[in-house]
Amino acid sequence: QVQLVESGGGLVQPGGSLRLSCTASGVTGLMAMEWHRQAPGKQRELVAGVKRGTLAYYGDSVKGRFTISRDNAENTVYLQMNSLKPEDTAVYYCRANAILRDYWGQGTQVTVSA
């Protein structure tokens, strides 16, 4: 059974940092893992992703502030979020891109507010 377990969300002040983690298990043919986010009333958008070959890519709004990485076993993907802004407030979802389908985590809330 496929499981994506996320952690690291919470409340942080503007300019602060958070690190999100997503651990995937039971995924066959994993090609990439990504972070997406969705704020109320807005479309879900790509935040960052990393392909199996470690190639990373980012949405324009987070370039220079966020860094995606994964562990050596490729079981966990991280999102280091620095210089957080109120507009970063959203539910952040982990996505595992496999050969047959995509798997999504349950989401973790990130709130940036003074």
Side-chain angles (χ1 to χ4, degrees):
Q1 183 174 334
V2 173
Q3 291 182 301
L4 274 68
V5 180
E6 299 165 321
S7 63
L11 175 65
V12 66
Q13 292 183 314
S17 298
L18 286 173
R19 188 178 73 159
L20 306 183
S21 300
C22 174
T23 299
S25 61
V27 178
T28 300
L30 183 65
M31 296 184 295
M33 296 188 72
E34 297 177 340
W35 288 98
H36 296 243
R37 67 186 183 187
Q38 187 168 24
K42 294 186 176 181
Q43 296 288 109
R44 188 173 297 188
E45 65 173 344
L46 172 72
V47 176
V50 57
K51 297 185 181 297
R52 187 169 182 84
T54 71
L55 176 65
Y57 45 98
Y58 299 89
D60 289 339
S61 64
V62 306
K63 288 179 179 177
R65 299 188 297 121
F66 293 6
T67 302
I68 190 169
S69 62
R70 62 185 183 184
D71 68 7
N72 291 331
E74 300 183 357
N75 293 322
T76 302
V77 63
Y78 305 96
L79 184 68
Q80 179 65 46
M81 309 165 66
N82 298 326
S83 302
L84 283 162
K85 305 174 181 179
E87 49 264 47
D88 295 318
T89 296
V91 178
Y92 285 69
Y93 297 92
C94 178
R95 171 182 176 261
N97 175 227
I99 293 176
L100 295 180
R101 60 158 291 181
D102 296 334
Y103 301 92
W104 291 89
Q106 78 285 352
T108 183
Q109 176 71 47
V110 172
T111 302
V112 185
S113 176

